[in-house]
Amino acid sequence: MSDLLYGEIENDLRASVRQVLDDKAPWTSVLAGAEKDEPYDAPLWRAVAGGLGCAGLPVPEELGGAGATWRETAVVMEELGRAAAPVPFLTSAVIATAALQAAGERELLARLAAGEAVAVLAVPFSAAPGDVPATVRVADGALTGEVTSVADGMAAEVLLVPAGDGLYAVDAADARRTAATSLDMTRRLADLAFSGAPARRVAEGTGAVTAALRTGAAMLASEQLGLAERCLDDTVAYVKTRYQFGRPVGSYQGLKHRLADLWTSITQARAVARHAASCVAADDADAPVAVAVAQAHCSAVAVKAAEECVQMHGGIGFTWEHPAHLYLKRAKADSIALGTPDRHRAALAELVDLPPA
């Protein structure tokens, strides 16, 4: 059984990341950025990826990384989820990095670890572990085809494209990129088209893509955990100070029960998210099961927490002048990212050899 408790290093890392996010990514700045055309917050990305060195946490020291594990990365994901931070950390520092690690690619991995480049795995954001879209063809070292709904596709400088018999690295400038409609404007989607784009093969087969999507799903559970915790904290603080009929609304038993139920669900989410991160970090044989459980549970908890945050804030919760809508959009978008809860429950049933009903 993995250790679910946070260590001293993880707590120190959390404090450092939260301080940077509180300073550089208050919700007012996140909302203002969502109304701009920039695909992500570049100064914030430099601070988190390069300044704090978070982009290289799971990368070996000989490649310029920190030599830590995915457990520490999961702590960063919790804080980024808590702030709904508009940075390509999940897509570049997690999914693309995991793909390159599995592929044994060193040069590009070192660039990502240093925060010098943003790379994105060119698959639909809805792709679950085990899904390898076959929409791009390769011939004579050039790629042709299309991929839709790629998260942070407009932010990428390098695209990692599954095609034919392997995974290929493509300069983003050689692809035609079109911004797609995104529910969550803090993590934008793009449609990619390749027409004879020169490419370099970095891995054979589909193993690197599967490993990347599984690691991404595990880390996404931590993001959902952080978002849910933020929603609960903000809601508890609000119902303590909002008065109705001469008393705090938080003193009403109905709201107390709902918040207690939410706290219980989040506590369970923390356990399964931490276990998934630990299994991925240790390359445990139970990692596929742990990831499926984490995603099946954490997606629903994050959505529920965001919905309760909106509703318990009353009228202000429905307005643009409150961050609740940012959390709700991130939670809803995350709930269909890297596989829906139903998709992960189906995968879990197969993994534990549970026959269909």
Side-chain angles (χ1 to χ4, degrees):
M1 177 64 68
S2 59
D3 182 4
L4 303 183
L5 300 178
Y6 297 99
E8 182 179 353
I9 293 177
E10 291 170 314
N11 288 328
D12 290 344
L13 175 62
R14 181 190 305 281
S16 297
V17 174
R18 185 172 296 189
Q19 183 177 5
V20 168
L21 292 174
D22 286 346
D23 179 49
K24 297 183 177 297
W27 75 265
T28 49
S29 296
V30 174
L31 178 59
E35 298 176 335
K36 298 179 181 178
D37 291 333
E38 287 83 359
Y40 67 102
D41 186 332
L44 178 61
W45 172 244
R46 288 193 294 269
V48 173
L52 292 178
C54 292
L57 281 174
V59 178
E61 293 182 10
E62 60 265 26
L63 296 179
T69 72
W70 292 111
R71 279 178 61 105
E72 289 77 19
T73 304
V75 171
V76 178
M77 287 297 299
E78 288 181 32
E79 292 304 308
L80 294 175
R82 183 181 181 87
V87 292
F89 191 89
L90 173 64
T91 48
S92 183
V94 174
I95 298 176
T97 294
L100 294 174
Q101 284 184 320
E105 166 67 29
R106 297 174 63 86
E107 180 180 354
L108 181 53
L109 185 59
R111 292 177 60 200
L112 298 192
E116 296 174 353
V118 173
V120 167
L121 183 64
V123 298
F125 197 35
S126 59
D131 295 343
V132 182
T135 58
V136 178
R137 305 178 302 279
V138 57
D140 298 326
L143 303 185
T144 302
E146 298 181 355
V147 186
T148 60
S149 301
V150 177
D152 291 322
M154 300 297 291
E157 295 155 314
V158 178
L159 299 169
L160 301 178
V161 187
D165 59 346
L167 182 66
Y168 292 80
V170 178
D171 191 322
D174 293 325
R176 186 174 74 252
R177 297 183 286 176
T178 305
T181 301
S182 307
L183 171 63
D184 176 16
M185 293 301 289
T186 65
R187 181 179 287 138
R188 306 187 188 193
L189 306 178
D191 296 333
L192 310 179
F194 305 92
S195 181
R200 175 175 64 90
R201 189 166 70 176
V202 296
E204 296 183 3
T206 61
V209 177
T210 299
L213 293 177
R214 179 169 295 126
T215 301
M219 297 298 105
L220 181 63
S222 290
E223 175 178 292
Q224 291 164 328
L225 168 63
L227 186 151
E229 289 178 330
R230 175 62 177 271
C231 289
L232 178 62
D233 290 347
D234 285 1
T235 304
V236 169
Y238 180 78
V239 299
K240 285 181 177 179
T241 57
R242 175 72 171 96
Y243 276 69
Q244 191 72 35
F245 303 113
R247 56 188 285 194
V249 296
S251 66
Y252 290 95
Q253 191 175 50
L255 295 188
K256 286 182 179 180
H257 287 174
R258 288 165 61 179
L259 290 169
D261 288 344
L262 185 57
W263 179 88
T264 301
S265 296
I266 291 174
T267 301
Q268 294 168 338
R270 184 180 303 111
V272 296
R274 290 290 290 168
H275 180 56
S278 295
C279 286
V280 169
D283 197 20
D284 194 296
D286 286 337
V289 172
V291 171
V293 171
Q295 269 304 301
H297 182 71
C298 293
S299 290
V301 171
V303 171
K304 181 65 174 178
E307 290 174 342
E308 292 286 57
C309 181
V310 170
Q311 189 171 50
M312 291 195 196
H313 275 81
I316 188 67
F318 288 87
T319 69
W320 213 250
E321 288 72 33
H322 192 275
H325 69 96
L326 293 172
Y327 308 143
L328 181 60
K329 291 170 184 174
R330 173 65 70 92
K332 286 286 191 179
D334 281 358
S335 71
I336 59 174
L338 303 177
T340 63
D342 283 346
R343 174 70 172 80
H344 285 283
R345 279 190 284 268
L348 179 61
E350 294 180 7
L351 289 166
V352 301
D353 198 24
L354 181 67

